[in-house]
Amino acid sequence: MDTIYNITVGAIATNCWVYPLNEDRAEAGSGFSPCAVIDPGEEGSRIISCLDQHKLYPKYILLTHGHFDHIAAVPALVAEYRKRQIAAPIVAIHAADAEYLGPDSYAVHCRSARAAMGSSAFIDALWEDMPTTMPAPDRILAEGDTIGPFTILHLPGHTPGSIGILDAKTGVLFTGDTLFCDGYGRTDLPGGSGSQLVASLKRLFALDSTTQIYPGHGPADILPNSFI
């Protein structure tokens, strides 16, 4: 397995993961190889610089869920790689969180952010960097779908459309805000459900205990073998 790169972005320290793909090699004439960019939360220029440094381009932009701190750099990445004409990224999200993308998504993000942090100078300053327009998804995901080397696990609880992105061959799982190294995501935001999150966590803990977890925030770790 190639190195998985991490760029920690934004005011909430979101993990953006860059996963090189072995399914293809460098595009003819470009010298760049494909990768999946998972949860490009903010700071699109830093993410693009990382890709350039490692001679990668985003074949897929995969979103574990729709919260703004996980998707705010999507417009910058889509615009950059369309301009370069290497290959337009395929933006993919679960159907239940698809409202966070597309032309009407800004109002959805505003409601979610206000619920998360209330009305404050902090959120107003944070919101200055939030794109007012989001591209529509290229692919709507569902439980059991495959995209590249990944299988999609629907893990509702943090949001209705939260997913795990599993490469079973390498034993790598991207969990977004469903599971962290030392905890799990909140359920008090719009669409959150404590009972659904518990069920999703139990499902994850039934996987092979050697599964490597790459979460939405905090360090990577081996899958816990028990649920507390």
Side-chain angles (χ1 to χ4, degrees):
M1 182 179 69
D2 291 335
T3 300
I4 300 172
Y5 303 103
N6 171 252
I7 311 108
T8 304
V9 299
I12 310 179
T14 300
N15 288 327
C16 173
W17 300 104
V18 176
Y19 190 89
L21 299 174
N22 290 321
E23 61 189 49
D24 304 300
R25 291 324 316 167
E27 290 283 316
S30 74
F32 281 68
S33 296
C35 70
V37 175
I38 297 164
D39 288 353
E42 293 183 64
E43 301 184 70
S45 60
R46 285 186 59 218
I47 298 170
I48 292 165
S49 293
C50 175
L51 298 182
D52 284 347
Q53 178 184 351
H54 299 290
K55 294 290 185 181
L56 297 168
Y57 74 89
K59 182 172 182 178
Y60 306 111
I61 297 175
L62 305 179
L63 306 173
T64 62
H65 62 292
H67 285 162
F68 76 94
D69 59 314
H70 290 255
I71 76 170
V74 169
L77 267 66
V78 169
E80 177 68 18
Y81 290 96
R82 283 180 177 166
K83 180 180 69 178
R84 293 191 189 191
Q85 297 182 334
I86 297 175
I90 296 170
V91 179
I93 193 168
H94 190 275
D97 274 17
E99 65 178 354
Y100 289 102
L101 293 175
D104 299 322
S105 60
Y106 186 71
V108 179
H109 285 289
C110 287
R111 289 196 302 271
S112 179
R114 295 291 178 190
M117 290 175 277
S119 179
S120 66
F122 170 75
I123 191 171
D124 289 340
L126 189 68
W127 217 243
E128 290 179 2
D129 296 325
M130 181 66 194
T132 57
T133 58
M134 281 282 178
D138 301 295
R139 174 112 180 246
I140 297 295
L141 300 171
E143 167 69 27
D145 282 352
T146 58
I147 183 166
F150 304 111
T151 300
I152 300 304
L153 310 179
H154 185 205
L155 302 171
H158 180 63
T159 68
S162 289
I163 59 172
I165 301 170
L166 174 67
D167 185 339
K169 184 176 180 180
T170 58
V172 166
L173 175 64
F174 299 93
T175 57
D177 287 1
T178 297
L179 177 64
F180 306 135
C181 174
D182 56 357
Y184 45 85
R186 58 193 291 186
T187 60
D188 59 334
L189 303 180
S193 167
S195 61
Q196 286 185 333
L197 183 63
V198 169
S200 293
L201 290 171
K202 288 181 176 179
R203 180 184 183 189
L204 291 181
F205 297 156
L207 296 175
D208 190 303
S209 62
T210 64
T211 302
Q212 186 76 34
I213 298 298
Y214 292 82
H217 302 271
D221 198 11
I222 298 293
L223 185 71
N225 58 14
S226 63
F227 177 64
I228 298 175

